[in-house]
């Protein structure tokens, strides 16, 4: 069937938008209702036209959801910050980090108190311009307290400073990437993409490096577990 020649160039019906992105029509409508995706321009009482900006935003939403692991409410908050042109890039970075970390909540016990003190000390030693009660600091304290509770508190003394060194290197690379974008709009979006999806990339790279380092340190000749997880060897 021929395309509707009366339709504006670049305009997409919702079915076409769905086919291009792989997102079901019902899900697209849900994103519009939830305020994640702008509504299409009405061309008739029952039809709306979408364009490339809708396609781009829809792909961003799916990436934040599927790869970044953000909730719908967190994505809404992050996208509101992206769309608010009065927001400084630094503030948008904070919103993106908050979306990844979720609400902070460190249990009130001796391990938590000690972890908060450790984090505050780390921030002070390194001269980081961040509040000890910020969501990333609280998330770090929660992780350190959990390590202490399971008997691995020594992990903190052994690697925390090395981790902080590596984190500074990663942050520098991230912000250099952000700085390559000329417009404020592109810069703000790159902050979100680099923070949320970069987190997933960094985690996957760390796991790859673990496998490689373990093979070199403990012997690549070791027989891996069976694919079904049984660990059985063939005789």
């Amino acid at each position: 069937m021929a395309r509707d020649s009366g339709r504006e160039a670049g305009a997409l019906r919702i079915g076409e938008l769905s086919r291009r992105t792989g997102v079901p029509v019902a899900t697209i409508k849900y994103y519009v209702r939830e305020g994640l995706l702008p509504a299409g321009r009405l061309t008739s009482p029952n039809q709306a036209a979408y364009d490339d900006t809708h396609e781009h935003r829809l792909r961003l939403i799916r990436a934040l959801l599927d790869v970044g692991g953000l909730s719908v409410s967190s994505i809404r908050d992050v996208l509101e910050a992206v769309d608010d042109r009065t927001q400084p890039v630094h503030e948008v970075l904070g919103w993106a980090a908050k979306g990844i970390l979720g609400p902070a909540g460190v249990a009130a016990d001796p391990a938590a108190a000690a972890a908060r003190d450790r984090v505050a000390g780390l921030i002070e030693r390194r001269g980081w311009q961040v509040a000890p009660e910020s969501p990333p600091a609280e998330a770090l304290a929660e992780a350190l307290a959990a390590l202490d509770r399971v008997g691995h508190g020594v992990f903190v003394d052994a690697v925390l400073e090395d981790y902080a060194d590596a984190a500074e290197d990663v942050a520098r690379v991230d912000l250099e990437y952000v700085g390559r974008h000329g417009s404020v709009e592109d810069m703000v979006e790159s902050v979100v993409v680099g923070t949320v999806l970069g987190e997933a990339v960094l985690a996957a790279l760390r796991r790859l490096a673990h496998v490689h380092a373990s093979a070199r340190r403990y012997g690549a000749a070791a027989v891996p577990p069976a694919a079904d997880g049984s660990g059985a060897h063939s005789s």
Side-chain angles (χ1 to χ4, degrees):
M1 182 180 292
R3 288 181 178 270
D4 182 357
S5 58
R7 199 154 44 88
E8 292 181 18
L12 302 171
R13 289 179 177 153
I14 194 168
E16 292 176 282
L17 184 62
S18 173
R19 285 191 292 274
R20 283 195 182 192
T21 61
V23 179
V25 169
T27 303
I28 295 174
K29 292 180 178 179
Y30 168 71
Y31 292 156
V32 171
R33 290 196 305 272
E34 291 296 313
L36 274 66
L37 185 71
R41 180 178 54 81
L42 285 177
T43 56
S44 72
N46 298 316
Q47 293 285 343
Y50 300 84
D51 56 29
D52 292 342
T53 61
H54 290 90
E55 181 179 353
H56 177 77
R57 173 56 63 92
L58 189 53
R59 292 186 187 280
L60 178 59
I61 292 168
R62 295 305 301 187
L64 296 176
L65 183 68
D66 298 337
V67 181
L70 269 63
S71 66
V72 168
S73 61
S74 293
I75 293 173
R76 185 191 303 110
D77 290 342
V78 169
L79 293 179
E80 284 178 359
V82 169
D83 291 336
D84 184 354
R85 301 310 181 203
T86 66
Q87 288 274 10
V89 173
H90 178 69
E91 293 297 325
V92 178
L93 179 62
W95 277 106
K98 183 179 178 182
I100 295 172
L101 298 171
V106 185
D109 63 8
R116 282 196 175 98
D117 288 343
R118 283 181 180 274
V119 173
L122 176 75
I123 290 171
E124 183 178 3
R125 284 194 307 276
R126 304 191 76 92
W128 285 351
Q129 298 179 48
V130 57
E133 65 275 9
S134 65
E138 284 287 284
L140 177 57
E142 183 177 10
L144 298 185
L147 283 165
D148 190 45
R149 293 186 194 107
V150 297
H152 287 274
V154 69
F155 176 91
V156 178
D157 298 320
V159 305
L160 186 59
E161 294 293 341
D162 289 337
Y163 271 33
D165 288 340
E168 286 189 353
D169 287 340
V170 170
R172 175 182 51 78
V173 171
D174 284 346
L175 295 182
E176 285 176 356
Y177 171 74
V178 170
R180 294 175 195 161
H181 296 79
S183 70
V184 173
E185 291 82 359
D186 288 343
M187 186 178 292
V188 166
E189 183 174 304
S190 72
V191 167
V192 172
V193 171
T195 302
V196 180
L197 301 185
E199 192 86 359
V201 170
L202 188 60
L205 283 171
R206 183 173 181 243
R207 288 192 292 271
L208 285 171
H210 276 175
V211 173
H212 170 69
S214 177
R216 293 193 63 180
R217 186 179 183 92
Y218 299 113
V223 178
D228 62 1
S230 65
H233 304 297
S234 59
S235 54

